[in-house]
Amino acid sequence: MSKRFTAGAVATAAALALTVTGLEVPAGAAPTSSRTFTVVAEDGVAADSAIAAIRAAGGTVVSRTDEVGMFQVTSDRADFAAKATAATALVGAAEQKAIGRKPKLDRVEQEHLLATAAKKAAAKPRGKKLDPLDDRLWGLDMIRADDARKVEPGDRRVTVGVLDTGVDASNPDIAPNFSWSLSRNFARDIVDVDGPCEVPSCLDPVGTDDGGHGTHVAGTIGAAANGFGLSGVAPNVTLVELKGGQDSGYFFLDPVVNALLYAGKAGLDVVNMSFYVDPWLYNCTANPADSPEAQAEQRAIIKAVKRALTYAHDRGVTLVAALGNENDDLGSPRTDVTSPDYGATPYPRPIDNESCWNLPTEGPNVIAVSSVGPSGKKADYSNYGTEQISIAAPGGWYRDGFGTDTFRTDANMILSTYPKKVLQEEGSVDADGNIVAGFEESVFKQCERNGECGYYTYLQGTSMASPHAAGVAALIVSKYGKAERRGGFGMSPDLVEQHLYRTAAEHACPEPRLQQYRNEGRDETFDAYCAGGLNFNGFYGYGIVDAYAAVKTPLKPNARP
């Protein structure tokens, strides 16, 4: 299997979802080999009418998701996408097409492994901690998670979905909090991008993660405080795997939407999302730079994702997402020169902020999280902007600490759980499970008396910031949630969001407001202007999440942040 995930934290190849459906072809084009599409119905169109339009365009429906008007369709017609786009009952068709494997190492999340002669520095002791590696978790200190867990460590009834590449439940820090009964895999392996299937069905069993990213996210949210390894923000909550991404790190629209719908139906309390739906960095309704079919494809993505997010929110799910790693102001985005990032050559796409969305981050009811380093400075890679930001959280920044002995060290990043198999594929752990020389300060191994071992490594990105916020959201539900009908337990996501904002630690913009990163080796393309005031601004939103304040401050429904 290929291994690394690009994530919401990664800009270049975050998620395979859909591909450009092709150039216009004559209406009477000869049939070609069968292909698979995701088709989305227009608002208000009945399922039967949509299916009839799909059939008229030459497609066969193989599965349907009526909650959001989405259909999985096969067709052997070269002109199916064009015909579906022309149908008044349909938004458009998006072909599911594998295009290759993502790079072995991620340029943002694994910057420390790509750096030349990377400097290593051991983490400085931070006082007595619950678990052996907790002294390396500066992020828990920043959000006062150690203090918070003395008041509220989390409630087992609170469920947090990790919509990602999977979760390695064999790690002794994940196993105590992992729900086998609720976890699901929605993303079947695709040989062309994921490599050979490990099981005959090509549907990996839950509790596994061949990408690594999901396990890292899960550990930050809720690794157990059990005297072993390290602990998460909310060490007593229940972790639920929602595998919506391929092992290789790509994401299809259909698995992501179905994972969100399942989260709503299953009554999950929080879902963390650290990805965006490719091949478009921004999905636009009618970008003049795009072909008619590409425009229709993007409209289909927008409709389906927004419907799924609304469905989950309306059923009690608090939605948390990474803001992204394009070092861009999402309220005034630069020209997109990276899309489509597969299936065709990228071309310049001027982005109209009123009609283009980075999804799911800019979708409805989503708490969008920026990333800061140990110094509290906005990480150079992190997106920002008053229009889309909600809050900030520790996401790690390898280049933080200029002028000190911590500059360009792994300890500036986020340490969390990680699968042994992926570390072996990346070359930092050998075939016997031992850490390879040279990786002793970036990879850690902890073993129990029975011989079971857990592995841990550093990553950085807004994908690492988002789970800190998701963990605090889970603590809020644990502290203030109430029993619900049918034996459930939960809290309105609107109240969770409000309390999260109101208790965040306010952080002013830097002075001067134009933040430059020359000392860190970045050019003017990384310059970022921080707009707004102390209460709310483009770098920190309502502030840096504060777990202790969140569980100590009385809940005030309808109070403004």
Side-chain angles (χ1 to χ4, degrees):
M1 287 289 184
S2 35
K3 26 291 216 207
R4 281 285 312 118
F5 168 83
T6 56
V10 180
T12 55
L16 171 70
L18 310 163
T19 191
V20 182
T21 46
L23 303 175
E24 294 185 15
V25 294
T32 62
S33 58
S34 182
R35 296 177 293 164
T36 301
F37 299 83
T38 297
V39 178
V40 179
E42 285 283 6
D43 292 335
V45 171
D48 289 347
S49 298
I51 292 172
I54 290 169
R55 289 173 176 167
T60 300
V61 175
V62 295
S63 68
R64 50 194 282 184
T65 308
D66 290 357
E67 293 88 348
V68 293
M70 187 174 73
F71 305 85
Q72 285 289 97
V73 176
T74 58
S75 178
D76 59 4
R77 293 194 59 90
D79 60 350
F80 172 76
K83 285 182 171 292
T85 298
T88 58
L90 306 176
V91 177
E95 184 182 356
Q96 296 183 358
K97 181 180 179 181
I99 47 70
R101 306 185 187 189
K102 78 167 292 292
K104 181 177 181 180
L105 296 178
D106 182 275
R107 69 175 183 86
V108 173
E109 291 185 352
Q110 296 174 303
E111 181 184 2
H112 61 313
L113 299 183
L114 295 171
T116 301
K119 183 173 63 175
K120 306 295 180 181
K124 297 179 180 179
R126 301 176 185 272
K128 186 177 181 180
K129 301 294 180 180
L130 289 178
D131 290 350
L133 295 176
D134 281 2
D135 62 355
R136 297 175 179 271
L137 305 185
W138 58 267
L140 294 191
D141 286 347
M142 178 177 283
I143 69 172
R144 301 200 290 173
D146 286 352
D147 294 328
R149 63 181 52 157
K150 297 173 184 176
V151 178
E152 177 57 72
D155 190 306
R156 292 280 185 229
R157 295 173 293 179
V158 176
T159 50
V160 184
V162 181
L163 208 175
D164 219 295
T165 58
V167 176
D168 178 11
S170 70
N171 188 297
D173 266 329
I174 298 293
N177 294 340
F178 187 79
S179 174
W180 293 94
S181 62
L182 289 174
S183 294
R184 298 287 188 276
N185 180 356
F186 299 92
R188 193 178 302 275
D189 286 349
I190 301 170
V191 174
D192 290 343
V193 295
D194 299 320
C197 297
E198 292 93 345
V199 295
S201 67
C202 288
L203 192 69
D204 293 341
V206 297
T208 62
D209 179 11
D210 293 329
H213 187 272
T215 302
H216 199 279
V217 166
T220 296
I221 295 170
N226 53 4
F228 178 92
L230 50 74
S231 57
V233 175
N236 282 6
V237 299
T238 296
L239 299 170
V240 180
E241 174 190 344
L242 301 175
K243 180 171 165 51
Q246 305 303 130
D247 294 345
S248 51
Y250 295 115
F251 274 70
F252 283 103
L253 176 65
D254 192 74
V256 169
V257 167
N258 283 322
L260 286 169
L261 297 182
Y262 172 77
K265 294 174 184 177
L268 302 191
D269 295 294
V270 181
V271 168
N272 185 85
M273 301 174 291
S274 293
F275 58 89
Y276 75 79
V277 178
D278 266 350
W280 310 101
L281 176 59
Y282 293 94
N283 289 279
C284 304
T285 55
N287 193 322
D290 299 328
S291 70
E293 286 74 25
Q295 292 176 1
E297 172 187 282
Q298 291 168 65
R299 289 194 294 270
I301 295 171
I302 292 167
K303 284 283 188 185
V305 173
K306 286 187 173 182
R307 288 171 182 172
L309 292 169
T310 300
Y311 182 94
H313 171 270
D314 290 349
R315 283 154 184 80
V317 182
T318 296
L319 301 164
V320 184
L323 196 61
N325 285 12
E326 292 76 46
N327 54 280
D328 202 3
D329 180 350
L330 292 184
S332 182
R334 296 187 293 262
T335 296
D336 173 20
V337 296
T338 65
S339 303
D341 60 8
Y342 67 89
T345 302
Y347 52 88
R349 304 173 64 236
I351 300 301
D352 170 33
N353 189 52
E354 297 300 317
S355 61
C356 299
W357 289 267
N358 180 310
L359 294 169
T361 300
E362 295 188 300
N365 310 303
V366 175
I367 298 168
V369 189
S370 69
S371 176
V372 301
S375 68
K377 189 175 180 179
K378 184 189 81 69
D380 56 4
Y381 57 78
S382 180
N383 284 347
Y384 59 98
T386 56
E387 182 179 284
Q388 297 301 337
I389 193 172
S390 302
I391 48 176
W397 185 26
Y398 177 68
R399 301 182 185 221
D400 205 354
F402 176 77
T404 74
D405 60 0
T406 65
F407 180 55
R408 287 179 175 265
T409 59
D410 297 346
N412 287 333
M413 303 171 76
I414 302 299
L415 183 67
S416 190
T417 47
Y418 212 66
K420 178 179 71 172
K421 176 183 177 182
V422 181
L423 291 171
Q424 289 174 324
E425 291 172 340
E426 292 174 353
S428 56
V429 171
D430 65 22
D432 296 324
N434 299 314
I435 298 171
V436 173
F439 291 93
E440 295 88 350
E441 288 299 326
S442 61
V443 176
F444 302 89
K445 175 183 178 181
Q446 296 268 300
C447 296
E448 295 185 309
R449 291 181 179 178
N450 63 4
E452 293 182 356
C453 299
Y455 291 81
Y456 309 82
T457 196
Y458 288 103
L459 296 178
Q460 67 176 11
T462 53
S463 282
M464 283 67 250
S466 182
H468 281 87
V472 176
L475 291 179
I476 292 172
V477 181
S478 298
K479 179 67 175 178
Y480 301 106
K482 296 180 180 179
E484 298 176 337
R485 292 180 297 175
R486 300 178 182 177
F489 183 83
M491 182 176 172
S492 162
D494 292 334
L495 288 180
V496 176
E497 181 178 8
Q498 178 190 100
H499 195 68
L500 187 68
Y501 297 165
R502 191 167 67 89
T503 58
E506 293 179 341
H507 198 298
C509 285
E511 291 294 344
R513 286 176 176 258
L514 181 64
Q515 180 70 69
Q516 297 181 331
Y517 299 92
R518 300 298 186 275
N519 289 334
E520 291 82 10
R522 298 303 198 185
D523 62 20
E524 67 278 0
T525 62
F526 283 82
D527 291 357
Y529 182 82
C530 184
L534 176 62
N535 177 256
F536 184 83
N537 60 66
F539 281 11
Y540 302 97
Y542 288 105
I544 298 174
V545 292
D546 188 329
Y548 183 66
V551 298
K552 282 290 289 184
T553 304
L555 188 68
K556 292 183 178 180
N558 302 318
R560 295 178 62 84

